[in-house]
Amino acid sequence: MNCLILVDIQNDFVPGGSLAVKEGDQIIPLVNRLMESFDLILATQDWHPADHKSFAANHPEGQIGQQIELDGLPQVLWPVHCVQESFGAELVAGLHTSHIQHIFHKGTDMDIDSYSGFFDNGQRKSTGLGNFLKEKQVEQVYIVGLATDYCVKATALDAQNLGFRTYVIEDACRGVNLQEGDVSKALNEMQQAGISLIQSQDLLR
């Protein structure tokens, strides 16, 4: 079985949100069209407690974009975003959420960030997504969403490492590009790991 995974298509990650990805809203119509081609559609949702330690606001003199160490791991400090039960954490209104069979929350532990939809950044705890896919006998996963150079990349790399044939639909993703070239580096890293980069037209034509 094939599965489409929607990564973090949430209000805080589109224009107007606290951690807006440039053109993040432009993928919505395309993602809605892609959903028509899949029997199994899952989503991930950043779901942070308000005191999450990845937030610059929770560190004295912390600056957005600053690199620190958090629980033994490198960590970028972000604006407060996707706080549990907040409007910013909700999936974007224009998304056809009725097609989504299950949503997996990530980033729920205040002490460690979770870019991947499968594990936290230290791979210490699982979200349950991997087991869910195996129970459904999924062999191939197709990934879309936000952002290419963080949560999309981490989700795709974990999917590939778990043995799923992994495709990233490049034009149905957008990146943060915190540092110039980050998106290109992420795409190269995914390709080198054996992940296939495709375009939506490869599935919709």
Side-chain angles (χ1 to χ4, degrees), residues 5 44 104-106 114-120 123 125-133 141 143 151 154-160 162 164 166:
I5 300 175
T44 69
F104 292 86
H105 288 162
K106 61 191 188 68
S114 297
Y115 295 153
S116 168
F118 289 91
F119 303 100
D120 62 57
Q123 300 221 335
K125 293 180 183 177
S126 166
T127 64
L129 174 56
N131 287 337
F132 187 93
L133 291 171
V141 296
I143 297 173
C151 298
T155 300
L157 289 172
D158 280 345
Q160 184 76 2
L162 287 170
F164 301 103
T166 305

Side-chain angles (χ1 to χ4, degrees), residues 9 14 34-35 51 74 84 117 135 189 196-197:
I9 306 179
V14 298
L34 285 164
M35 281 196 260
D51 57 355
Q84 296 170 8
E135 287 169 7
E189 185 179 344
S196 298
L197 303 181

Side-chain angles (χ1 to χ4, degrees), residues 45-55 58-59 68-78 81-82 84 105-127 151 158:
Q45 194 173 18
D46 239 11
W47 198 247
H48 296 306
D51 57 355
H52 201 276
K53 292 181 181 177
S54 71
F55 297 162
N58 291 329
H59 294 266
I68 66 163
E69 184 176 291
L70 181 59
D71 203 19
L73 297 170
Q75 176 68 50
V76 176
L77 291 183
W78 301 108
H81 65 278
C82 298
Q84 296 170 8
H105 288 162
K106 61 191 188 68
T108 59
D109 184 335
M110 65 176 283
D111 292 316
I112 190 166
D113 214 351
S114 297
Y115 295 153
S116 168
F118 289 91
F119 303 100
D120 62 57
N121 288 358
Q123 300 221 335
R124 298 163 188 169
K125 293 180 183 177
S126 166
T127 64
C151 298
D158 280 345

Side-chain angles (χ1 to χ4, degrees), residues 125-157:
K125 293 180 183 177
S126 166
T127 64
L129 174 56
N131 287 337
F132 187 93
L133 291 171
K134 288 174 181 175
E135 287 169 7
K136 296 290 185 181
Q137 298 184 318
V138 171
E139 296 179 353
Q140 300 181 92
V141 296
Y142 293 76
I143 297 173
V144 300
L146 306 169
T148 310
D149 40 347
Y150 285 93
C151 298
V152 167
K153 180 184 81 168
T155 300
L157 289 172

Side-chain angles (χ1 to χ4, degrees), residues 157 160 184-197:
L157 289 172
Q160 184 76 2
S184 295
K185 289 177 184 175
L187 294 172
N188 288 336
E189 185 179 344
M190 287 188 278
Q191 280 189 307
Q192 289 172 7
I195 294 162
S196 298
L197 303 181

